[in-house]
Amino acid sequence: MSRVNHRDTLLTDLRELQRRLRLLEAAKVAAKPAAALALPPTRPVDWPATTSPDWEDLFDATTRGGVLELRWTAEEGTTGSVRVLLDGSQVGGELTAGAERGTDTVPIAGGAVSVQARRTSGTGLVRVAVFLTA
């Protein structure tokens, strides 16, 4: 911002623009629904993965409700299971992960959401990508 009785310079103009952009970005983030998360990566190799035989969290969020879009797969020769938990209780059934990609949508009420996966056979990775919409 310019000082009183001083002429604006390019530097003061730039600082003012930057200040306004920061305010706009902060307002945009504050107005964004809590449940809106970035799209998952498109390549399965970039998805979160596990080799654990025990349930492992691959996604955690707190939401006011919405729809989870799940995508899962397992490496060749490996199978696994995927499940969705809402406030610690399983929502829907377990999904079986294999070499073929699977997709499903799960409507959820508000609360703490976790997507877990585990390897049930083989030595490879079980991968899961999650997209949450409000």
Side-chain angles (χ1 to χ4, degrees):
M1 288 197 233
S2 63
R3 293 183 278 177
V4 178
N5 297 328
H6 283 87
R7 194 175 145 148
D8 285 343
T9 64
L10 286 176
L11 183 58
T12 57
D13 286 345
L14 178 61
R15 286 182 180 152
E16 178 64 12
L17 286 171
Q18 288 175 329
R19 184 187 70 79
R20 288 181 182 186
L21 280 173
R22 281 192 302 274
L23 289 173
L24 285 172
E25 288 170 352
K28 184 174 143 185
V29 168
K32 191 179 214 181
L37 301 176
L39 285 171
T42 55
R43 299 181 327 159
V45 70
D46 295 329
W47 297 353
T50 185
T51 58
S52 174
D54 299 318
W55 291 110
E56 186 174 338
D57 287 340
L58 297 181
F59 174 84
D60 272 326
T62 301
T63 180
R64 295 183 200 143
V67 176
L68 284 178
E69 180 185 331
L70 302 169
R71 300 174 190 168
W72 65 88
T73 189
E75 292 180 346
E76 195 67 40
T78 301
T79 60
S81 296
V82 177
R83 70 180 180 181
V84 176
L85 301 177
L86 180 62
D87 293 327
S89 298
Q90 187 169 327
V91 177
E94 286 184 22
L95 307 166
T96 302
E100 296 286 322
R101 281 194 213 179
T103 61
D104 197 7
T105 55
V106 179
I108 53 167
V113 178
S114 295
V115 176
Q116 299 179 332
R118 67 179 175 179
R119 185 181 66 201
T120 54
S121 70
T123 58
L125 293 165
V126 176
R127 298 181 179 280
V128 180
V130 180
F131 177 59
L132 177 60
T133 57

